[in-house]
């Protein structure tokens, strides 16, 4: 899975019937040490109610069809967790409620 | 899913029987902040009637076989949505009817 | 799918039984605007009778098992079309019989 | 599979039900010659009881659902082995108990 | 499939039960024109009895579970052929018995 920040929303009225009712979030991949954005973006289907500004991780590939929100749908990216904290080498590089 | 602009068409008369009748669009990946093309191209199967100049997002991998147009076919990229707008950090970086 | 030029052949006498009888072509990915090779190569299984010098597109991942030639075989790349022409922004960047 | 070092932990209390009870480890990919980190990180599900500081290899894609810990779950990365040693061109570039 | 040279071995005594008995080879991807290593490594499961120094190609993704050695196992890379020769634009860039 890959760590990213929710930075926005993508809206489409003309789309495959199979993705009706899904929320598409714009994610920017982050470096988990500096927590800076990498300028690399992906559109991900939300399965956990994530909001703009939150740090999440998403799953790619066929496993993006294995959440309750995306089962059987043409998805290659699904947010599966909102991150509380990231700890690297004994140091917190990210804490949500700080 | 990845954001891209439809920039052209790829035509083949000699191809796998399993992809007869499919439209192949040439997509250029874009940066959703600047909306500039990245010079990185992919051939994608159209499942939504997208046209040249439109901003779309496409699905990759096995999920590219999960649209009505591509089911059971050897596809690794399918356009599943025409984008109306992209909003990043409270600002619209793209609006279709502008 | 990705556009590439057939540039050669890879031959193996000692291989998995499941890929006996398959032709392995060496492909170089191309830029569809300049039509130049990118110096990036892949070995692909041929399902359409492609020959050296032709521009093709191939499918990657699990869908590479969805051609008549590769079904049930350990393939992650299969050529599924020989390209007649590529049109970008109203201009032909490639025409086969020119 | 890809070689990496376990460098930390990612914790989430708000996540897909399907990944409850799984441990998420932060991995940094390594160069197996110099054993240096590459500054490229992935969140991986642990199936072998790996700990911080250990060298492991993980499996990506659909096969990340083929371990006892991750079966049927939305996983695209699972640690499947703790490495004892790496030998390249007759030289050990890594030995665990050194 | 991707061309690579077998450059070593990775050994693990503590691993997923599902990969017991499998040999893990360290591969370095090569440029098939110059035959130089690219400094990019992958751990691959051997299905053909490849040895150090040999040029092989391996299959990635779900198809890495489609060899006799890896069926049903968490594998994302399997060696499926030992290369005899590579021919590019009418010239042999590699011949095994030279």
């Amino acid at each position: 899975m890959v760590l990213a920040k929710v930075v926005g929303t993508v809206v489409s009225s003309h789309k495959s019937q199979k993705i009706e009712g899904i929320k598409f979030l714009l994610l920017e991949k982050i470096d988990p040490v500096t927590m800076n954005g990498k300028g690399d973006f992906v559109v991900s289907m939300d399965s956990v109610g994530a909001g703009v500004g939150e740090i999440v991780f998403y799953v790619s590939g066929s496993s993006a069809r294995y959440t309750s929100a995306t089962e059987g749908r043409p998805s290659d990216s699904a947010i599966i967790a909102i991150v509380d904290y990231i700890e690297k080498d004994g140091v917190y590089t990210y804490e949500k409620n700080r």
Side-chain angles (χ1 to χ4, degrees), chain A residues 5-26:
Chain A
K5 188 178 190 174
V6 183
V7 295
T9 308
V10 177
V11 174
S12 166
S13 52
H14 189 107
K15 59 195 163 193
S16 164
Q17 275 194 312
K18 295 200 176 177
I19 56 172
E20 295 283 348
I22 297 274
K23 188 164 190 183
F24 308 112
L25 293 176
L26 183 65

Side-chain angles (χ1 to χ4, degrees), chain A residues 7-61:
Chain A
V7 295
T9 308
V10 177
V11 174
S12 166
S13 52
H14 189 107
K15 59 195 163 193
S16 164
Q17 275 194 312
K18 295 200 176 177
I19 56 172
E20 295 283 348
I22 297 274
K23 188 164 190 183
F24 308 112
L25 293 176
L26 183 65
L27 306 186
E28 182 175 7
K29 298 174 195 178
I30 58 159
D31 178 310
V33 180
T34 63
M35 295 304 290
N36 288 333
K38 292 173 126 180
D40 192 2
F41 299 87
V42 66
V43 178
S44 196
M45 298 188 185
D46 185 22
S47 82
V48 294
V52 170
E54 287 185 307
I55 301 297
V56 300
F57 62 76
Y58 64 92
V59 65
S60 298

